[in-house]
Amino acid sequence: MSMLDKIKGMIKGHPDQARQGVEKGGDFVDKRTGGKYGKQVDSAQQKLNDQFGDRRPPGDDR
C-alpha cells in the first residue's frame, strides 16, 4: 500500500478538512518563500485536491 493510499484512507469522509490542510500547507510555503513559488504551490495544491477527489481551484472556499 502506497503512502497516498494510506492518506486517502485516513481522510475518507473528511474532504473539507483535507482541503483545509492542503490550503494551510500551501499558504505556509508561500509565506516562507515570500510568494516566490506561488504558481508551483498552486499547481501542487490542485494536484493534491484532485487526488483527494476535490476539483475546486485553490482559493475557491465555497
Side-chain angles (χ1 to χ4, degrees):
M1 180 179 276
S2 73
M3 180 62 99
L4 186 57
D5 290 335
K6 289 180 183 179
I7 293 171
K8 284 182 181 180
M10 289 176 12
I11 64 165
K12 191 171 186 173
H14 306 284
D16 292 335
Q17 291 166 334
R19 181 170 169 69
Q20 286 177 344
V22 169
E23 290 298 316
K24 285 183 181 182
D27 292 345
F28 175 78
V29 172
D30 275 340
K31 184 177 178 182
R32 295 289 291 188
T33 62
K36 183 176 179 180
Y37 302 103
K39 289 181 184 179
Q40 291 88 344
V41 169
D42 287 344
S43 176
Q45 287 174 314
Q46 185 62 47
K47 288 179 183 180
L48 281 169
N49 286 329
D50 287 348
Q51 286 291 319
F52 298 144
D54 189 350
R55 304 274 188 235
R56 292 179 287 182
D60 185 11
D61 296 328
R62 288 188 222 171

